[in-house]
C-alpha cells in the first residue's frame, strides 16, 4: 500500500521541539540546526512561532533569509490576523495556522462557538492565500474533535484554497487503529493533501504517524530525537526508517546524516539520547551476547534487521565486551590489535574478562589489551604519546583554555586550545598534538561513574576511531575530571597507534 509512495517530511524540532520542557536554543544554534536539517533533506522546516517572542521572530527571519537550498521554511500562527502578518513579515515560504476544534479546548481555552472557530479558520486561510504564500491549516486536538464538525471545518478551509490540512493528535491519545480510521474518513471527504502531527504521551507517536500515512496522509510531522511538548512528538529517525525500510515508501531524507543530526540536537538541547534508543542510540547496533556477536561477525543480518544497517543511518556497529561476550568476539577484537593468543591463552583471557564484568565493571578495549598482554606475557611497548603536563584556565570571564605538553614520538610538543568547557578545551589541545596528524577522532565520551561529594572521583570512558574505521575505547579515573578525560584520550590514542 505504501510501497514507492513519496512521503513529505515536515520537521518541527525548532518549534514543537523547542517547547520541550527545559530546552531553549540560541539563535545561532537554531541556524545551525536549520542548515543540518537542510543537509538531512527534510522537505519543510517549521522554524518557530514568530509572534511568540522577539527572539523567535528574528530566528525565523534569519532562517527564512538563509536561502536553504532544498528546504521550505514555515512559521506557526494562530488564526489571528496579527500572528499571520508577523509570519508573512519574517519571510516564510509557508504559514501553518491553527485553532482548537475539540469542545474541551474550544470551551475552556479560546471560549468560542463552533461557528466562530470555523469563521476564524476560513478568514485566516483567506489572509494567507491573499498574500500569495502556502497555507497549512491545523485543527488542534483534532483527534478529540467531533468527526462531523472536523470534516466541516476541513471542507471549509479546502474551499478557501488551503494547500494542506494537518490532523494533530495533540494530547497523544489515539490508538493506531483509531488513527487509521480517522485519516481514512477525512481522506474520503477531502481532496487536498493530509498531514499528521502525533504526540507521544503513550509512546505511540511513530505508530500513529505510520498508520496515518497508511490511511492516506502524505506528510508526517516529526522532530529530531522525538523532542516536543510533554513526552514529545514522533521521532524523525524512527518514522523515516520505518517508512523506508519496512514499508518501502520514499522520502527525501539523506538517511546517512540521521545520527549526525541526532547528536547535534542532543548537544545543543542538553537532552541526552538514551543508549537503547532505536536507530540513533549508542546501543542501536551494539552486540554483547556470545550468540549474537558470533552471528553478527559471520553475517550482520543474523541479529540485525538487515533492512536497516548502521551505514544507512551514519552509525557504527559495536561489539561490546561484557560478561556475555563469546570467544569469537574476543578473538576478533584481539586480532584487530594484532594479538593472536593460543586457545589456552584465549580461554584465560575470557575468564578474566568475565571476572571483571561480574564485578559490574564495563570492559574497554584498553582493559582487554592489558589483560591480553599480561596473559600472553607481551611487553606493552612504549606509548607513542607520553603525557607530561596539562593545565587549564577557566572561569566566568574567560574562554576555557588548555595547554598540554607531551613527548610524541620522542619529540617534545606543546599545544593550546580553547573549548566550550575545561574538558573540551583539554581534549582539543591533546587532539592538536596527537590525533590531528593521525586522523584519529573521538566518537564516544562518557562519564561512567562519579562518587559523591566535592572530592568525587570521575571515571571517564573515551572511544576513538581512526581513518580506517578501527575503534578503541579506554578508561581513566581521577578526582580531576579534566585529567581523567585527558588520560583516557591519550590511552585510547596510544592503543590505536600501537596496534
Ligand atoms: O500539538 C499540536 O496540536 C500542535 C499544533 C500547533 C499543530 O503543536
Ligand atoms: Zn504539537
Amino acid at each position: 500500500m505504501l510501497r514507492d509512495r513519496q512521503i513529505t517530511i515536515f520537521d518541527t524540532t525548532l518549534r514543537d521541539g523547542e517547547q520541550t520542557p527545559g530546552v531553549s536554543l540560541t539563535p545561532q544554534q537554531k541556524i545551525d540546526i536549520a542548515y543540518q536539517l537542510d543537509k538531512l533533506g527534510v522537505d519543510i522546516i517549521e522554524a518557530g512561532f514568530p509572534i511568540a517572542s522577539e527572539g523567535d521572530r528574528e530566528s525565523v527571519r534569519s532562517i527564512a533569509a538563509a536561502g536553504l537550498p532544498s528546504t521550505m521554511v514555515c512559521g506557526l500562527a494562530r488564526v489571528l490576523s496579527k500572528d499571520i502578518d508577523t509570519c508573512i513579515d519574517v519571510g516564510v515560504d509557508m504559514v501553518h495556522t491553527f485553532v482548537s476544534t475539540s469542545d474541551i479546548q474550544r470551551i475552556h481555552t479560546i471560549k468560542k462557538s463552533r461557528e466562530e472557530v470555523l469563521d476564524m479558520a476560513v478568514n485566516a486561510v483567506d489572509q494567507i492565500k491573499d498574500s500569495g504564500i502556502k497555507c497549512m491549516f491545523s485543527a488542534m486536538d483534532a483527534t478529540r474533535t467531533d468527526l462531523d464538525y472536523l470534516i466541516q471545518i476541513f471542507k471549509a478551509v479546502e474551499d478557501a484554497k488551503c494547500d494542506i490540512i494537518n490532523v494533530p493528535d495533540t494530547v497523544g491519545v489515539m490508538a493506531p487503529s483509531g488513527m487509521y480510521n480517522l485519516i481514512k474518513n477525512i481522506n474520503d471527504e477531502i481532496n487536498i493533501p493530509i498531514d499528521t502531527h502525533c504526540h507521544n504521551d503513550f509512546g505511540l507517536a511513530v505508530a500513529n504517524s505510520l498508520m496515518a500515512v497508511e490511511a492516506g496522509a502524505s506528510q508526517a510531522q516529526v522532530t529530531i530525537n522525538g523532542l516536543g511538548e510533554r513526552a514529545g512528538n514522533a521521532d524523525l529517525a524512527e518514522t523515516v526508517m520505518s517508512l523506508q525500510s519496512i514499508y518501502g515508501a520514499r522520502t527525501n531524507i539523506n538517511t546517512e546524516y540521521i545520527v549526525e543530526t541526532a547528536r547535534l540536537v542532543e548537544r545543543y538541547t542538553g537532552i541526552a539520547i538514551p543508549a537503547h534508543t532505536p536507530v540513533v542510540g549508542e546501543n542501536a547496533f551494539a552486540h554483547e551476547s556470545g550468540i549474537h556477536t558470533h552471528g553478527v561477525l559471520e553475517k550482520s543480518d543474523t541479529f540485525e534487521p538487515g533492512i536497516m544497517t548502521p551505514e544507512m543511518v551514519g552509525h557504527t556497529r559495536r561489539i561490546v565486551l561484557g560478561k556475555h561476550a563469546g570467544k569469537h568476539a574476543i578473538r576478533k577484537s584481539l586480532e584487530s590489535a594484532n594479538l593472536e593468543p593460543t586457545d589456552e591463552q584465549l580461554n584465560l583471557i575470557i575468564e578474566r574478562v568475565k571476572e571483571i564484568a561480574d564485578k559490574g565493571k564495563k570492559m574497554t578495549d584498553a582493559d582487554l589489551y592489558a589483560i591480553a598482554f599480561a596473559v600472553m606475557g607481551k611487553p606493552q611497548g612504549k606509548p607513542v604519546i607520553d603525557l607530561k603536563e596539562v593545565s587549564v584556565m577557566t572561569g566566568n570571564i574567560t574562554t576555557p583554555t588548555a595547554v598540554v605538553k607531551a613527548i610524541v614520538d620522542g619529540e617534545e610538543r606543546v599545544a593550546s586550545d580553547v573549548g566550550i568547557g575545561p574538558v573540551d578545551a583539554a581534549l582539543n589541545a591533546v587532539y592538536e598534538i596527537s590525533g590531528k596528524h593521525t586522523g584519529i577522532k573521538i566518537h564516544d565520551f562518557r562519564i561512567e561513574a562519579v562518587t559523591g561529594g566535592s572530592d568525587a572521583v570521575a571515571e571517564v570512558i573515551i572511544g576513538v576511531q581512526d581513518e580506517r574505521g578501527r575503534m578503541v575505547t579506554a578508561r581513566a579515573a581521577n578526582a580531576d575530571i579534566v585529567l581523567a578525560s585527558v588520560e583516557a584520550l591519550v590511552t585510547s590514542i596510544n592503543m590505536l597507534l600501537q596496534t
Side-chain angles (χ1 to χ4, degrees):
M1 253 202 295
L2 253 172
R3 182 149 296 280
D4 292 333
R5 262 180 57 202
Q6 179 75 27
I7 307 302
T8 305
I9 300 299
F10 179 108
D11 183 280
T12 181
T13 306
L14 294 175
R15 201 277 298 168
D16 213 317
E18 219 214 356
Q19 291 171 220
T20 305
V23 167
S24 174
L25 298 162
T26 65
Q28 186 56 50
Q29 287 174 332
K30 288 188 188 180
I31 295 268
D32 291 352
I33 291 175
Y35 274 107
Q36 182 69 29
L37 292 172
D38 182 61
K39 175 177 171 189
L40 182 64
V42 307
D43 300 285
I44 307 164
I45 292 176
E46 187 162 53
F49 190 5
I51 197 82
S53 72
E54 176 69 28
D56 238 26
R57 194 151 45 249
E58 291 321 306
S59 288
V60 180
R61 194 191 296 283
S62 38
I63 293 169
L68 300 173
S70 45
T71 307
M72 194 183 272
V73 178
C74 173
L76 184 69
R78 290 168 296 182
V79 284
L80 300 180
S81 184
K82 61 178 182 197
D83 284 35
I84 295 167
D85 279 341
T86 311
C87 256
I88 296 168
D89 174 63
V90 297
V92 294
D93 306 305
M94 177 191 221
V95 177
H96 171 194
T97 189
F98 72 99
V99 65
S100 294
T101 51
S102 65
D103 287 347
I104 182 153
Q105 288 197 356
R106 194 176 49 70
I107 294 166
H108 296 283
T109 62
I110 54 174
K111 301 184 189 339
K112 301 276 182 211
S113 69
R114 286 187 178 182
E115 293 68 32
E116 283 171 316
V117 165
L118 191 142
D119 285 347
M120 289 166 84
V122 170
N123 290 341
V125 173
D126 283 342
Q127 187 185 346
I128 297 163
K129 291 311 293 178
D130 285 349
S131 75
I133 54 180
K134 276 200 141 214
C135 173
M136 174 162 71
F137 170 74
S138 271
M140 186 150 80
D141 209 12
T143 55
R144 292 194 299 177
T145 299
D146 172 76
L147 184 60
D148 290 340
Y149 176 59
L150 187 65
I151 289 180
Q152 191 191 349
I153 198 164
F154 281 150
K155 277 191 169 156
V157 296
E158 177 176 16
D159 288 345
K161 303 276 176 292
C162 185
D163 296 287
I164 176 165
I165 51 159
N166 176 38
V167 183
D169 185 21
T170 302
V171 290
V173 288
M174 281 310 258
S177 53
M179 194 67 185
Y180 182 91
N181 291 334
L182 175 64
I183 300 293
K184 188 115 195 38
N185 278 321
I186 296 170
N187 202 25
D188 287 344
E189 301 286 339
I190 302 294
N191 297 308
I192 54 177
I194 301 173
D195 176 34
T196 184
H197 172 106
C198 298
H199 276 274
N200 205 27
D201 299 67
F202 287 90
L204 292 171
V206 172
N208 284 335
S209 304
L210 296 172
M211 289 312 260
V213 170
E214 262 203 71
S218 57
Q219 179 168 299
Q221 294 203 8
V222 291
T223 58
I224 303 299
N225 300 340
L227 295 175
E229 281 280 0
R230 306 182 311 282
N233 290 77
D235 173 66
L236 179 142
E238 294 169 26
T239 308
V240 167
M241 291 316 294
S242 303
L243 280 173
Q244 297 196 177
S245 293
I246 298 177
Y247 288 89
R250 285 198 305 257
T251 73
N252 287 328
I253 297 297
N254 302 310
T255 60
E256 66 275 23
Y257 299 121
I258 282 182
V259 169
E260 183 180 284
T261 310
R263 290 191 180 152
L264 176 81
V265 171
E266 175 185 45
R267 194 149 51 84
Y268 280 178
T269 58
I271 306 282
I273 303 170
H276 59 286
T277 303
V279 188
V280 300
E282 195 191 314
N283 291 351
F285 297 94
H287 306 272
E288 189 190 300
S289 90
I291 297 168
H292 285 221
T293 48
H294 183 185
V296 164
L297 290 170
E298 292 294 322
K299 185 165 171 52
S300 59
D301 298 10
T302 51
F303 287 96
E304 279 180 12
I307 49 174
M308 174 175 72
T309 64
E311 295 77 24
M312 275 179 181
V313 296
H315 213 321
T316 38
R317 181 171 297 114
R318 257 183 342 121
I319 302 297
V320 178
L321 302 170
K323 69 171 108 182
H324 307 108
K327 229 175 180 164
H328 254 81
I330 295 187
R331 191 185 281 287
K332 205 76 184 177
S333 286
L334 293 172
E335 274 171 10
S336 70
N338 294 325
L339 294 168
E340 288 181 10
T342 61
D343 278 351
E344 205 181 318
Q345 286 171 331
L346 185 63
N347 287 337
L348 253 174
I349 293 168
I350 293 171
E351 219 172 89
R352 296 215 186 148
V353 165
K354 295 197 174 191
E355 267 167 32
I356 292 180
D358 273 337
K359 288 185 186 136
K361 213 171 160 215
K362 233 175 226 154
M363 283 288 297
T364 65
D365 298 304
D367 297 331
L368 175 70
Y369 300 157
I371 294 172
F373 284 135
V375 169
M376 295 167 74
K378 280 204 171 197
Q380 295 218 11
K382 222 168 144 8
V384 180
I385 304 164
D386 184 7
L387 186 67
K388 293 295 178 197
E389 287 171 24
V390 180
S391 63
V392 183
M393 195 172 60
T394 189
N396 60 356
I397 49 163
T398 171
T399 307
T401 308
V403 182
V404 171
K405 190 201 266 185
I407 309 290
V408 182
D409 269 336
E411 172 201 316
E412 185 178 286
R413 288 199 201 153
V414 181
S416 65
D417 211 332
V418 292
I420 54 168
V423 171
D424 189 44
L427 295 184
N428 289 342
V430 172
Y431 187 60
E432 270 302 305
I433 53 169
S434 55
K436 216 170 179 175
H437 71 286
T438 55
I440 292 173
K441 288 211 166 82
I442 297 179
H443 76 87
D444 191 16
F445 176 91
R446 269 175 290 155
I447 299 172
E448 277 292 314
V450 185
T451 56
S454 58
D455 57 352
V457 172
E459 195 174 319
V460 173
I461 294 187
I462 288 191
V464 294
Q465 184 168 26
D466 68 11
E467 281 166 334
R468 287 157 50 201
R470 293 185 315 150
M471 286 190 267
V472 161
T473 49
R475 170 209 327 271
N478 199 304
D480 183 324
I481 191 166
V482 175
L483 292 182
S485 308
V486 167
E487 276 168 33
L489 179 59
V490 169
T491 308
S492 56
I493 295 177
N494 274 332
M495 302 294 325
L496 258 190
L497 295 178
Q498 276 173 322
T499 56

